[in-house]
Amino acid sequence: MRAIRIEEFGGPEVLVPVEVPDPVPQPGQVLVRIAAAGVNRADALVRSGSYHRAGRPPLTPGLEAAGTVVSAGDGVRGLAPGQRVMVIGGGTGMPGLYAELAAVPEHRVVPLPEGIALTEAAALPSAWFTAWYCLHRLAGVARGETVVVQAAASGVGSAAVQIAVEAGARVIAVAGSPEKADWAAGLGAQATIDTSAHPGEASVAEVLRLTGGRGAEVVLDTVGGRVFAQSLRQTGYAGRVIALANVALETSTIDTRDFYPKNASIQGFQLTNLLEHGYDSRPDLQEIAARVASGTYRVPVESVFPLERAADAHHRLERRDNRGKVVLTV
């Protein structure tokens, strides 16, 4: 089968198509023929050697995918050949999903309802699950609350905007250009902040202005670094800041006075650790997929590249001018 291999850490050019043996499903595993794989910031960090869970080359990246079941190992129930599914990857023993085939544990495979294209489904297991879990399971977002979404035009950000709006929250979408801010408004955000016009502390002041000085109940920080310190200042009394990434690759310097006087809480999220500690993502992913199938959520797939052009997909992602997901088709 074809797969993308990283033989050494580096730029997008190290993503090389190779031929490798077809995997064989072991007991409790499902062999999936991958039709599409989502491209995530974590994949770029793995490729560059900046991801703390990456291991050493040779590596195949890829945390999320969708396709069809080829066969199942002994003990697998409820998954049949030809069934359309999505796969959530990441963690010890999981194969990378930039490949034609993957043998994955049964509990990482979720059947798809009708009405979802496989290119859309490939964006759900990592990006959409992350946004869903952070907002519903960690933040407990409630109707009438204000939610700030950093990097709202990203894959996770565009999902978070829609999930928070459906929950009845007022969303302030923060993005890096007027075009991205307008695009996030089209997803339902009631207010937007363009950080090219409101950089640094100006974005904090703008959140406070938009909330009448109170600050937001929830801030979803998808960026890290200096933005995390700003997220703390954007939250209000008893607010919740959810830190789920440091794509900025910067040290976050914070002042404890920015959160403890407000009785605010900080919660972290890391997908791989969550799954390795036993969390079953299937019920959440089934809920997300049902909402996509019904039209409640729209999965914005901005760019689609064939598998052998994985390097071009990473170039696209790292230029930061995408709005929504970048996807590889196999």
Side-chain angles (χ1 to χ4, degrees):
M1 71 168 186
R2 287 179 303 150
I4 297 298
R5 182 68 61 84
I6 300 168
E7 296 292 346
E8 60 180 355
F9 293 132
E13 68 279 358
V14 304
L15 296 168
V16 179
V18 297
E19 289 288 332
V20 296
D22 289 358
V24 177
Q26 301 303 307
Q29 290 187 333
V30 180
L31 182 64
V32 177
R33 183 171 302 281
I34 295 171
V39 179
N40 292 281
R41 293 282 176 193
D43 300 336
L45 296 177
V46 167
R47 187 210 69 227
S48 67
S50 302
Y51 192 63
H52 67 289
R53 294 297 303 273
R56 304 298 303 174
L59 296 168
T60 293
L63 294 171
E64 58 183 354
T68 55
V69 174
V70 176
S71 61
D74 291 343
V76 174
R77 300 288 183 268
L79 292 167
Q83 194 168 6
R84 298 165 73 250
V85 295
M86 54 182 161
V87 178
I88 185 166
T92 304
M94 278 294 298
L97 300 176
Y98 288 12
E100 288 184 307
L101 294 165
V104 297
E106 177 185 10
H107 65 270
R108 297 292 192 97
V109 181
V110 180
L112 288 170
E114 293 300 319
I116 303 179
L118 291 176
T119 50
E120 295 178 332
L124 301 182
S126 178
W128 277 77
F129 172 73
T130 292
W132 174 276
Y133 187 91
C134 287
L135 288 170
H136 283 297
R137 308 299 181 213
L138 294 182
V141 63
R143 182 170 299 278
E145 292 188 319
T146 296
V147 176
V148 172
V149 178
Q150 311 284 12
S154 66
V156 174
S158 58
V161 169
Q162 296 181 66
I163 291 168
V165 168
E166 193 227 356
R170 178 193 182 216
V171 174
I172 301 175
V174 183
S177 70
E179 294 79 14
K180 286 185 176 182
D182 289 346
W183 183 80
L187 297 176
Q190 292 89 343
T192 62
I193 298 174
D194 165 21
T195 56
S196 68
H198 297 88
E201 289 306 303
S203 71
V204 177
E206 189 65 3
V207 168
L208 295 177
R209 184 188 70 82
L210 290 167
T211 58
R214 297 185 306 278
E217 281 80 17
V218 177
V219 181
L220 190 66
D221 181 18
T222 65
V223 180
R226 286 169 289 181
V227 171
F228 177 65
Q230 296 161 19
S231 295
L232 293 178
R233 292 192 284 278
Q234 289 168 344
T235 192
Y237 180 79
R240 292 90 76 197
V241 178
I242 312 299
L244 61 94
N246 187 2
V247 296
L249 298 179
E250 299 172 344
T251 298
S252 300
T253 302
I254 64 172
D255 187 334
T256 56
R257 291 171 295 184
D258 286 334
F259 65 92
Y260 82 77
K262 296 185 286 192
N263 287 337
S265 62
I266 301 170
Q267 298 186 70
F269 172 85
Q270 208 277 330
L271 175 61
T272 300
N273 275 338
L274 179 75
L275 299 178
E276 287 192 336
H277 280 79
Y279 189 82
D280 187 350
S281 63
R282 288 175 293 182
D284 294 307
L285 285 169
Q286 287 166 351
E287 286 197 53
I288 295 166
R291 284 165 167 78
V292 174
S294 69
T296 301
Y297 298 152
R298 175 168 63 88
V299 182
V301 176
E302 192 251 14
S303 300
V304 178
F305 295 86
L307 180 67
E308 59 269 19
R309 290 181 59 198
D312 293 334
H314 276 228
H315 275 298
R316 177 68 179 168
L317 187 75
E318 292 187 316
R319 284 198 299 267
R320 298 184 184 274
D321 45 4
N322 62 296
R323 304 171 203 171
K325 287 291 292 187
V326 177
V327 172
L328 297 173
T329 52
V330 183

